[in-house]
Amino acid sequence: MKKISKFSLVLVVTLLTMNMQAGTVDFTLDVKKEQGKMVTFALNQTDKIDLSIYDANDKLIHSENVSSKENVNRTYDLKALPEGTYFLQAESDTKVSRYEISVVGDMASLSGNAVSEVYKPVYLYKNGLVSVNILNLDESPVNIKIYDSEYNEVYDSAFLTGQNVTKVFDINNFLNEAYTFVVTDNDKTFVKTFSKR
């Protein structure tokens, strides 16, 4: 009977996680205007977002945090950038998207479609059970590691296929009080710590 009730709880947690992620409406980028080396865009359906611009070597050039009850509208003047390829990264609570910026001569253009998009893991924690759900649309390899409070690795597993990776951990079975989950998906790393208390 105890096994059936524990399985039911795990099933409920998993289904709730999948429904939460499927029902989440996240931002979209709309390129409004490109004139010379100035690009104007809007991010729709978001409350807060981190915007960054990186060069082709992944060096951070610009960063800002934006909070808005309405759509986020931005104009970037890219006159100081030499010719080349750059990336606008938009990060919300649920996903990280990268858009290509091309600077050629006196012109700059911003792609309206993301060149990469990674959904952040969704965690549910209840009574010592931690459910990790990763929406992995491009089916790239996903790695989950767990470390105890003394930085000892207690779990390491790679998931090579599947658009939805779901794993449930019972940290009550572990000896320490706190555990850090490190999820790597599509070259992005997400860290979250849980305590038994």
Side-chain angles (χ1 to χ4, degrees):
M1 185 68 166
K2 191 174 182 179
K3 282 188 177 197
I4 291 174
S5 115
K6 194 170 188 176
F7 175 74
S8 298
L9 178 62
V10 169
L11 184 60
V12 167
V13 167
T14 302
L15 291 174
L16 281 173
T17 302
M18 290 190 314
N19 284 338
M20 272 178 35
Q21 206 152 29
T24 299
V25 176
D26 208 351
F27 65 86
T28 57
L29 183 132
D30 183 22
V31 178
K32 296 290 187 184
K33 185 169 76 168
E34 298 169 331
Q35 185 174 12
K37 281 194 172 182
M38 296 186 64
V39 294
T40 301
F41 61 94
L43 289 164
N44 307 311
Q45 303 172 350
T46 185
D47 288 334
K48 68 176 189 169
I49 197 153
D50 296 330
L51 295 173
S52 305
I53 295 178
Y54 292 89
D55 69 10
N57 296 321
D58 220 26
K59 179 183 173 192
L60 180 65
I61 296 171
H62 170 77
S63 170
E64 67 177 306
N65 301 327
V66 182
S67 294
S68 175
K69 294 292 182 195
E70 299 174 10
N71 293 341
V72 173
N73 292 292
R74 283 290 180 268
T75 298
Y76 286 151
D77 184 350
L78 306 173
K79 287 179 188 169
L81 297 181
E83 283 194 10
T85 301
Y86 300 88
F87 297 95
L88 170 67
Q89 180 171 292
E91 183 172 349
S92 70
D93 289 337
T94 56
K95 76 175 178 180
V96 180
S97 297
R98 275 196 159 197
Y99 303 88
E100 185 175 304
I101 300 170
S102 178
V103 176
V104 179
D106 292 335
M107 302 295 291
S109 62
L110 171 64
S111 67
N113 297 321
V115 293
S116 71
E117 201 163 65
V118 176
Y119 282 84
K120 293 181 175 181
V122 174
Y123 299 93
L124 286 178
Y125 177 69
K126 185 167 184 163
N127 299 328
L129 291 178
V130 178
S131 172
V132 182
N133 189 311
I134 302 130
L135 186 59
N136 185 23
L137 295 177
D138 64 356
E139 297 189 12
S140 61
V142 174
N143 186 268
I144 300 175
K145 291 185 179 188
I146 303 174
Y147 297 91
D148 65 17
S149 55
E150 298 167 0
Y151 304 105
N152 296 310
E153 186 179 286
V154 296
Y155 180 84
D156 181 8
S157 187
F159 302 89
L160 301 177
T161 60
Q163 287 192 343
N164 194 27
V165 176
T166 301
K167 192 78 175 155
V168 179
F169 300 91
D170 186 351
I171 65 172
N172 290 319
N173 294 331
F174 297 157
L175 298 176
N176 288 36
E177 286 299 312
Y179 291 89
T180 300
F181 287 69
V182 179
V183 176
T184 305
D185 179 15
N186 205 5
D187 296 328
K188 297 282 183 215
T189 300
F190 307 98
V191 179
K192 181 95 173 173
T193 300
F194 295 93
S195 178
K196 290 184 186 179
R197 292 181 231 147

